Amino acid sequence: MESPDGAEHEGILSKKKLDHKRFEDPYKHKAYCWLKNCFFYIQDADHHRQRMANAPVQSFDLLVWKAVGDEKGKFSLEHNSGTLVKLKADSVADGDTWLNKIRAAAQLAVRPSHNAPHT
């Protein structure tokens, strides 16, 4: 399991529940998120906003997921297939920081060359 140790950026974001009920807050789920080695990771956070170490970790390869900005601190990770993960920061500034950090990490991702010799 990938650990947040040595992460380029980390913090708490709210993850949107896509099948929420009519009067339910769709962003009530708190998640501990981090960027490391061109991957974005999400792990459940407890009500104290701490990472739940035994919870499963979702990983998103930034070669195939891109960050798409929204409004008021919200953004999405969008897969090449069209799948979305919607996230929200506590503030617009924090949302902008996450968006910029994710985009910078994606630009650093090494894309395999189809012309590279096989060894």
Side-chain angles (χ1 to χ4, degrees):
M1 176 172 80
E2 186 63 42
S3 153
D5 295 340
E8 293 126 35
H9 191 66
E10 60 188 302
I12 298 291
L13 292 171
S14 297
K15 183 178 174 189
K16 185 173 185 180
K17 181 179 177 184
L18 299 179
D19 60 344
H20 63 89
K21 295 179 177 41
R22 184 174 182 168
F23 296 108
E24 180 182 18
D25 176 7
Y27 285 99
K28 72 178 182 180
H29 179 85
K30 299 298 181 200
Y32 185 84
C33 303
W34 68 95
L35 279 170
K36 186 175 178 182
N37 300 329
C38 302
F39 278 81
F40 180 82
Y41 296 94
I42 297 176
Q43 189 172 28
D44 288 345
D46 63 21
H47 63 282
H48 297 293
R49 301 172 60 95
Q50 298 295 317
R51 180 174 75 95
M52 295 174 62
N54 294 329
V57 176
Q58 292 179 282
S59 63
F60 301 88
D61 182 346
L62 297 179
L63 287 172
V64 293
W65 291 84
K66 68 178 179 179
V68 179
D70 202 345
E71 59 183 38
K72 299 180 183 174
K74 297 177 185 174
F75 63 94
S76 299
L77 291 178
E78 185 176 310
H79 190 269
N80 293 343
S81 69
T83 303
L84 286 177
V85 176
K86 295 187 175 223
L87 300 159
K88 178 179 154 186
D90 287 338
S91 69
V92 173
D94 195 26
D96 290 343
T97 298
W98 272 105
L99 198 55
N100 291 332
K101 297 275 188 182
I102 293 168
R103 288 176 173 165
Q107 287 181 345
L108 295 175
V110 177
R111 300 190 186 277
S113 171
H114 295 292
N115 298 330
H118 297 285
T119 56

